[in-house]
Amino acid sequence: MTDTEGGPGVPRHRSAGRYLWWLVASQRGRVAAGASYGSLWMAGLMLPPYVLSRAIDDGLVPGRMPVLAGWVAVLLAVGAVNAWLAVLRHRTMTRVRMDATFRTVRAVVAQTLRLGAALPHKVTAGEVVTIGIGDVGVISQTLTMTGPGVGGVLAYAVVAVLLLAVSPLLAVVVLLGVPLLAVLVGPLLGRLQGAETRYRERQSGLAARLTDLVGGLRVLNGLGGKEVFADRYRQASQALRGEGYRVGAVTSWVQALGVGLPTLFLAAVTWPAARMAAQGTITAGELVAVYGYAAALVVPVSYFIEGGYDLTRGLVAARRVVRFLALEPDRATGARGARDAPGVASVLRDPASGVEVVPGLLTALATARPAESAAVVDRLGRFADSAATWGAVRLDEIAPRQLRERILVADNEADLFAGTLREVVAGRRDPSEEAIGRAVRTAVAEDIVRGLPDGLDAPVEAQGRNLSGGQRQRLRLVRALLADPEVLLAVEPASAVDAHTEAALASRLHTARAGRTTVVTSTSPLLLDRADRVYFLVDGTVAAVGSHRELLDGQPGYRRLVSRGEGEADADGTGSVGTAGQSVTEGVRDDDVLGQARTGG
C-alpha cells in the first residue's frame, strides 16, 4: 500500500520541523502528485464563476440559445473534471497520511528496539503510549496541508488575476484581505502551540500513572493503597481536564475564525461589487463572477487557517517524537562490539562483585538486597556498563547478536505478549510438543496447562493479566528453558511460588540444566541447596563462596539470611537447613494459591 515496505529510512530528528520535512521528502512523488491535484482542484473552483458570468452576459440574450447551451455544457464539464480531481486529491492525501503514520510507527519501534533494556530508564510507558496513540495521528494529519495548502496559494493568485480584468479595486481588496486574515489568526496559533504542549506533557504523565495503576492493582489491593493511588490519579485527571479546557478554548476561537473570517471576507468583496453593478460599472454577469470568486476563495482561506492549526499541533507532536528518537542507549547495550564471543564454554567474570561463573555449573547468588544480585546479572548479561568478561574477552567488545544468542537473562519483569499459551512460551521459535512438555515440567507449570480450558491453546492476555504472579513467573521460566541458551541468568525464578512448587522446581532445574551454565539469584534454601556453587554477597561484593552447607557452617551472616531470622543453626550446622526449610515449606504464598484457584490447578 505504501512505499515504506522497503524500510522507513533514517529519520531526521534534529528538530520538529526537520522531522516533518523528512516525512514529506520521503514520499516526494506522492506529495507532489497530491499538491498537483490539490492545485488543479482549487484553481478549478474558480472557473465556474467565470463560465457562469459568460453564460449570463453572452447567453441571456434573445436568439442566442446555442451560446447559452454551449456555456452550460462547459460548466458541466468543468464540474465533472473538478469532481474527478477532488477524488484523486483525497485518495492521494490519504496515502500520504498513511505513509507518514507507518513511517513514524516504524521509526518509533526501531528506536524502542535500539534502546532495548535502557528504555524503562529513559522514558515512561505513558510517554510511549501517548506517542503511539495520539502524536502519530496528529503528525500524519499535518501532512495533509501539502495538498490544499499549495493549491490555496495558486487559487489566491488565479482569483487576483481574474478580478484585475473586472476591477483593480476588487483585486486589491482580495490581495490585502487574505494576508490580513493570516495576521488575525497568527497569535491564536501561537497560544495554541503552548497550550497543546502543556496538555500533551500532562497527558503522557497521566498515561504513565494509569499504566502503573493497572499493572500493580493486585499489589495495591493487598496493601490497601488502591484508594490513595486512585485519588492521585483523579487529581491528575482533573488537572489534565483543566488543561484540555484551555486547549479547547483556543481551538474554538481558531475554528470560529476559520468559519467567520472567510464569511466577512466574502461580504467585504461582494459589497463594493454590488455597488459597482448598481452604478453600471460592471455587468450583471461580472457581479455574479465576483461573488462566485469570493465564495470559492472561502475554501482556500479556510484551508489556510486549518493548515496553520494542523501545523501548530503537528510541530508539538513532532517535537515529542523527535525527543524520543534522540535518546541514546546505554553504552553497554549499544551495538559497538566487534569481537567474536569465545568459541568454547568459558568463565563469566564480574570484576565489580568478584563473581565468577564456571561453565556447566548451577551457580547461585545470595544477598540481603535483591537489587545487588540483579545488578550482577545485568552486568553478566551486558545490560549494564561494566568491565565483565567472557573468557579473555570483555562483554562490551563482543557483537551483541552473538551475546543474545548464547546468553539469556530471564527477568521476572519480562513482558508476556497476548496470544495462546503455546505462543507465549514458544516466543520466536517453533518447539515441538515434547520440548514444550519438558520445559513445562521443569518449571512445575503442569497445573497451569491443566487448569486452563484449552491447555496450551488457551488464550493468555497481555502481560498475563488472567494469570497469577506465580503462574506468570513459571511461564517466563518455561519460555527461557525452551530457548535453551548456553548461559541462563535467572533473576529470582521462584520468588512467587509456594514452597512445595519451589522444592520441585529446584530439583528439576538442576537436572534439566545439567552440563549447562546456569545462574540464579535467590535466598531460598531449597534452591541454594541444589546449587553447585553459592556466592554470598554483602554490599554488592563477594563475602564468601562455597556450597550451601559450607556457607551455613562457616558464615553466620549467610546462615541468618537463608534462615529468614527464624532460628540459629545447631551445633553441627544442619539445624539451619531444617529450620529454614520447614519455615518456607509451611508458609504457602497467597498469590500462587489464588492463581491455582482461578485456573482450577
Side-chain angles (χ1 to χ4, degrees), residues 203-399:
Q203 187 181 39
S204 64
L206 189 64
R209 181 165 292 183
L210 178 61
T211 302
D212 294 340
L213 177 62
V214 174
L217 190 58
R218 183 184 291 112
V219 177
L220 289 172
N221 270 328
L223 298 175
K226 184 178 69 172
E227 290 302 325
V228 174
F229 208 101
D231 286 340
R232 292 179 181 175
Y233 178 83
R234 190 177 298 110
Q235 293 171 5
S237 178
Q238 291 172 350
L240 177 65
R241 182 182 61 187
E243 201 68 54
Y245 285 156
R246 283 186 282 273
V247 173
V250 181
T251 301
S252 65
W253 275 106
V254 173
Q255 294 178 344
L257 291 177
V259 175
L261 288 180
T263 304
L264 293 176
F265 172 75
L266 176 61
V269 175
T270 305
W271 172 252
R275 291 182 60 85
M276 290 179 183
Q279 296 169 359
T281 306
I282 61 176
T283 66
E286 288 174 332
L287 172 61
V288 172
V290 170
Y291 178 83
Y293 296 149
L297 201 59
V298 168
V299 176
V301 169
S302 299
Y303 272 120
F304 285 149
I305 297 175
E306 182 180 340
Y309 170 68
D310 288 340
L311 180 61
T312 300
R313 299 180 70 238
L315 287 172
V316 173
R319 194 173 296 121
R320 293 166 56 82
V321 173
V322 163
R323 187 170 57 191
F324 178 73
L325 296 179
L327 296 175
E328 291 294 333
D330 294 336
R331 186 168 64 87
T333 61
R336 63 187 186 89
R339 299 184 61 181
D340 290 333
V344 296
S346 302
V347 177
L348 271 172
R349 294 183 178 86
D350 174 35
S353 63
V355 172
E356 293 189 357
V357 180
V358 178
L361 299 183
L362 173 59
T363 303
L365 308 179
T367 177
R369 299 186 182 93
E372 294 176 355
S373 57
V376 175
V377 169
D378 282 344
R379 293 193 290 268
L380 293 176
R382 196 187 166 189
F383 284 111
D385 189 15
S386 74
T389 60
W390 194 8
V393 185
R394 281 177 59 116
L395 287 177
D396 56 11
E397 296 177 352
I398 300 175

Side-chain angles (χ1 to χ4, degrees), residues 462-510:
Q463 303 302 337
R465 288 191 299 268
N466 57 330
L467 302 172
S468 72
Q471 291 171 326
R472 292 195 296 271
Q473 186 176 59
R474 283 179 284 163
L475 288 185
R476 291 186 179 101
L477 183 58
V478 171
R479 183 171 60 185
L481 292 170
L482 281 173
D484 194 26
E486 178 182 330
V487 180
L488 174 61
L489 309 175
V491 179
E492 298 289 347
S495 61
V497 299
D498 62 81
H500 299 289
T501 302
E502 189 176 34
L505 191 153
S507 174
R508 295 176 188 180
L509 181 63
H510 185 274

Side-chain angles (χ1 to χ4, degrees), residues 8 104-120 122-123 128 324-325 327-330 332-335 382-383 400-401 404 415 417 428:
T104 299
V105 168
R106 288 191 179 189
V108 170
V109 171
Q111 173 70 347
T112 301
L113 296 176
R114 177 170 172 263
L115 292 173
L119 179 63
K122 302 284 185 178
V123 64
V128 180
F324 178 73
L325 296 179
L327 296 175
E328 291 294 333
D330 294 336
T333 61
R382 196 187 166 189
F383 284 111
R401 183 178 294 275
R404 298 295 170 250
D415 288 322
F417 299 103
R428 60 186 175 88

Side-chain angles (χ1 to χ4, degrees), residues 21-316:
W21 177 249
W22 171 74
L23 291 176
V24 173
S26 298
Q27 44 177 333
R28 294 184 184 90
R30 185 176 294 131
V31 171
S36 299
Y37 293 139
S39 299
L40 293 174
W41 172 66
M42 285 280 191
L45 292 178
M46 308 306 153
L47 293 180
Y50 172 77
V51 176
L52 188 59
S53 70
R54 297 302 304 272
I56 293 173
D57 288 341
D58 299 341
L60 294 181
V61 178
R64 304 197 66 180
M65 183 59 66
V67 175
L68 178 61
W71 283 116
V72 170
V74 172
L75 186 62
L76 290 175
V78 169
V81 171
N82 273 353
W84 177 69
L85 289 172
V87 171
L88 293 179
R89 178 195 63 83
H90 186 271
R91 288 181 177 178
T92 304
M93 298 317 299
T94 298
R95 292 190 177 98
V96 168
R97 288 195 300 271
M98 295 178 67
D99 183 281
T101 297
F102 295 145
R103 204 173 291 273
T104 299
V105 168
R106 288 191 179 189
V108 170
V109 171
Q111 173 70 347
T112 301
L113 296 176
R114 177 170 172 263
L115 292 173
L119 179 63
H121 311 297
K122 302 284 185 178
V123 64
T124 65
E127 180 83 4
V128 180
V129 169
T130 303
I131 290 174
I133 295 178
D135 294 332
V136 171
V138 172
I139 291 173
S140 302
Q141 181 63 32
T142 303
L143 264 65
T144 304
M145 65 179 293
T146 58
V150 176
V153 175
L154 179 61
Y156 173 62
V158 170
V159 168
V161 171
L162 291 174
L163 284 177
L164 278 174
V166 177
S167 169
L169 174 62
L170 295 177
V172 169
V173 172
V174 172
L175 290 174
L176 295 180
V178 174
L180 179 61
L181 298 181
V183 171
L184 292 174
V185 177
L188 284 176
L189 295 179
R191 288 186 57 190
L192 176 63
Q193 186 170 1
E196 187 84 17
T197 299
R198 293 189 296 271
Y199 177 79
R200 290 288 182 179
E201 294 297 334
R202 285 186 179 273
Q203 187 181 39
S204 64
L206 189 64
R209 181 165 292 183
L210 178 61
T211 302
D212 294 340
L213 177 62
V214 174
L217 190 58
R218 183 184 291 112
V219 177
L220 289 172
N221 270 328
L223 298 175
K226 184 178 69 172
E227 290 302 325
V228 174
F229 208 101
D231 286 340
R232 292 179 181 175
Y233 178 83
R234 190 177 298 110
Q235 293 171 5
S237 178
Q238 291 172 350
L240 177 65
R241 182 182 61 187
E243 201 68 54
Y245 285 156
R246 283 186 282 273
V247 173
V250 181
T251 301
S252 65
W253 275 106
V254 173
Q255 294 178 344
L257 291 177
V259 175
L261 288 180
T263 304
L264 293 176
F265 172 75
L266 176 61
V269 175
T270 305
W271 172 252
R275 291 182 60 85
M276 290 179 183
Q279 296 169 359
T281 306
I282 61 176
T283 66
E286 288 174 332
L287 172 61
V288 172
V290 170
Y291 178 83
Y293 296 149
L297 201 59
V298 168
V299 176
V301 169
S302 299
Y303 272 120
F304 285 149
I305 297 175
E306 182 180 340
Y309 170 68
D310 288 340
L311 180 61
T312 300
R313 299 180 70 238
L315 287 172
V316 173

